Amino acid sequence: MVFDVAIAGAGPAGAAAAIAAAHAGARVLLLDRYDFPRDKACGDGIAPHAIDVVRELGITGVLDGYPEINVLHLESPNGTQAKRPMRRPAHVIPRTVFDARLVSAAIEAGAEFRRHVVRQIRRDGDHVEVDGIRARTLIGADGANSVVRKFLGVKQNPPGHIAIAIRGYAAQPAAAELSQRLVLAKRHWPAYAWSFPIGDGRRNVGYGELIQGEPTSRAHLLDRLTTLLPGLGEIDGLRAHLLPLSTWRPRPGRGQILLAGDALSLINPFTGEGIYYALVSGAFAGEAAAMAGPLAAHYYSRRLRAQLARHLRHTTLTAKLAAAPWIADAGIRAAADDQAVFDTFVELGLGNGLLSGRLLAGVTRRAMGVPFGTWSTPKAS
């Protein structure tokens, strides 16, 4: 049997690709080294922008059983706090649940799922062969250590363009507010810890930092987590994972072989968010693979540029500016002052938002020590 589209990796990028390709009428094979449900180290935060893509793909029931999170609490390296409502609610859904629901939706859409470890890839004329499985196009959605990416000759992101994080689960105090909390660190900056309530008596907690050439360890990551979030008590399910940042992206594909999600280094360098990028890139890749044949990479690259290129430039600039802790502190002070600035930060960090004149003016004002309200700012763009 020859498949129209083979997909390596059945996480959010791979499942979205399978659904989009199946909707386009393709015969789709979805491969993953694990059966589902399976755990995946992640913050488990599902932004509204990701849910937009899920709904556009026609998937229902993904949010069932998990409450809306309407408040985001930010704490700067110097202790400044900004706690405000988000324009649209987020959710916290364990990846054991979220990913399994997406795979089920892909199977319902007509994709075939197989548990399979991809080992060997080769081109065979106008086809791609994956361990003897023939397909007209191949999508690599197989994560930070992508086999498909290696086949294309793309190396792992270098230091300065890759982060590492550790994640676990702790008890959520019964009386605690359902708000997402980020605590930015003074040491090992850029770095932050998070606490995201799930709604079932637990919270996803973790700590991540940029890899800058020096070796790190599980003990170091755990120490930083418990220092920034004291009083967590027992933490279960601790797992570390790499985050290839979008500041070092390879080409989206070559010919009939495409990359999506983490395999394409689509991780926000400002926040570490990647699920929205995984879903949108997967959906575009699946459509391109099903409809564009040998021109799939060209079609896919154009769609990605139109959707994300300007946003990715802005997140890269934001990450460079925030590399100075005092600028990060000024940014959170500005967000505490102004809901519009806060909203812009959320859009930049969780979706495909852009820097605005109002945000830049607010950060500049706070960096200069000018009190809020004494300097007029331009309207948000």
Side-chain angles (χ1 to χ4, degrees), residues 125 212 223-224 229 341:
Q212 303 188 69
D223 174 72
R224 298 303 300 140
L229 295 175
V341 170

Side-chain angles (χ1 to χ4, degrees), residues 246-247 268-270 277 310-320 348-349 351 353 355:
S246 64
T247 51
N268 191 308
F270 176 48
Y277 294 155
R310 190 177 177 207
H311 162 74
L312 293 175
R313 290 195 297 270
H314 282 225
T315 57
T316 297
L317 176 58
T318 302
K320 288 180 178 178
L348 268 169
L355 289 165

Side-chain angles (χ1 to χ4, degrees), residues 17 42-43 64 105 157 173 190 192 201 226 236-237 241 250 258 284 289 292 311 315 328 334 359 369 371 375:
C42 178
D64 290 355
N157 284 27
Y192 72 85
T226 54
D236 298 322
H241 57 292
L258 314 178
F284 288 174
H311 162 74
T315 57
L359 183 150
W375 180 12

Side-chain angles (χ1 to χ4, degrees), residues 279-298:
L279 289 166
V280 75
S281 64
F284 288 174
E287 182 180 319
M291 301 178 66
L295 297 176
H298 173 73

